[in-house]
């Protein structure tokens, strides 16, 4: 006796996506394929806007066996940029800002401002002296933009030296 296709059991391949930070499921399980035991399957990771999705458990390519399959993916949220700005006391940029971590890095990834901070910056004819630095020079990427503000104040120009008046010495 040979099994007819109607007698064969159909197995399912389902995926679920979890938020990598909270471990909560995003959406519901998604049925992506069905097949008989021995059938090949080949699926691609799902896409979730604003997230990078990676496979946690299961195989994206393989053969159906005598059981239903479940693939689990982790969705890592993409964060916003972290940048350093260099401003005078009026809030005007005196030097181009520097991106420390670009948008799209994963939320929770470490960032650090580890460059040397200039204590003096000269722009045109004005020299600025570092007045204030951000409290935090390292942190984690988040879903909000982060800005490190370095504030500079105008350096006081040295007073012009007074010309000494030569006092004529009395003639003897």
């Amino acid at each position: 006796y040979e099994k007819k296709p109607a007698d064969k059991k159909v197995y399912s391949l389902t995926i679920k996506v979890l938020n990598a930070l909270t471990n909560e499921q995003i959406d519901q399980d998604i049925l992506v394929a069905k097949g008989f035991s021995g059938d090949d399957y080949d699926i691609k990771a799902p896409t979730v806007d604003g997230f990078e999705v990676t496979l946690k458990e299961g195989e994206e390519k393989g053969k159906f066996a005598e059981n239903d399959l479940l693939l689990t993916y982790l969705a890592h949220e993409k964060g916003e940029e972290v940048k350093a700005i260099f401003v005078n006391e009026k809030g005007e940029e005196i030097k181009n800002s520097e991106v420390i971590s670009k948008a799209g890095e994963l939320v929770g990834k470490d960032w650090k401002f580890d460059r040397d901070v200039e204590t003096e910056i000269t722009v045109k004819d004005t020299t600025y002296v570092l007045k204030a630095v951000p409290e935090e020079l390292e942190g984690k990427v988040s879903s909000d933009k982060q800005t490190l503000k370095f504030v500079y104040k105008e350096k006081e120009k040295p007073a012009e030296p007074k010309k000494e008046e030569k006092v004529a010495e009395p003639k003897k």
Side-chain angles (χ1 to χ4, degrees), residues 19-20 26 47-53 75-78 106:
N19 180 311
I26 296 174
T47 55
V48 180
D49 284 347
F51 289 82
E52 186 174 300
V53 179
H76 305 269
E77 188 176 357
K78 292 181 181 179
L106 303 184

Side-chain angles (χ1 to χ4, degrees), residues 122-127 157:
T122 302
V123 183
K124 295 182 183 136
D125 295 336
T126 309
T127 300
K157 292 187 170 86

Side-chain angles (χ1 to χ4, degrees), residues 54-167:
T54 58
L55 181 65
K56 180 184 179 198
E57 288 174 10
E59 301 279 330
E60 292 180 317
K61 201 175 191 168
K63 291 184 181 298
F64 281 96
E66 299 286 322
N67 58 326
D68 291 331
L69 299 168
L70 174 67
L71 271 61
T72 304
Y73 287 90
L74 290 178
H76 305 269
E77 188 176 357
K78 292 181 181 179
E80 289 296 331
E81 81 174 359
V82 180
K83 74 176 180 177
I85 61 170
F86 306 91
V87 298
N88 62 19
E89 291 175 296
K90 297 177 198 149
E92 301 162 338
E93 269 198 36
I94 57 171
K95 177 184 163 188
N96 289 342
S97 60
E98 293 179 28
V99 175
I100 299 162
S101 175
K102 61 185 185 297
E105 291 287 348
L106 303 184
V107 167
K109 182 176 184 281
D110 291 331
W111 61 261
K112 184 174 188 168
F113 184 87
D114 53 7
R115 300 162 185 75
D116 288 335
V117 179
E118 295 172 76
T119 51
E120 282 192 4
I121 297 176
T122 302
V123 183
K124 295 182 183 136
D125 295 336
T126 309
T127 300
Y128 295 94
V129 185
L130 185 61
K131 177 184 172 187
V133 296
E135 280 182 30
E136 300 292 326
L137 292 176
E138 57 187 274
K140 297 205 178 291
V141 172
S142 73
S143 51
D144 296 321
K145 283 187 178 184
Q146 298 176 60
T147 303
L148 282 68
K149 188 190 278 185
F150 293 85
V151 181
Y152 289 80
K153 70 176 187 173
E154 245 179 79
K155 184 175 184 179
E156 291 176 23
K157 292 187 170 86
E160 288 288 316
K162 288 183 182 162
K163 289 184 179 147
E164 291 182 32
E165 292 177 28
K166 286 195 175 179
V167 178

Side-chain angles (χ1 to χ4, degrees), residues 3 5-15 30-41 43 62-71:
K3 281 188 176 180
D7 297 339
K8 284 187 172 180
K9 179 158 176 21
V10 175
Y11 296 99
S12 64
L13 172 59
T14 306
I15 61 173
I30 305 160
L31 176 65
V32 290
K34 288 186 172 212
F36 297 114
S37 180
D39 287 354
D40 289 328
Y41 69 86
I43 65 155
K63 291 184 181 298
F64 281 96
E66 299 286 322
N67 58 326
D68 291 331
L69 299 168
L70 174 67
L71 271 61

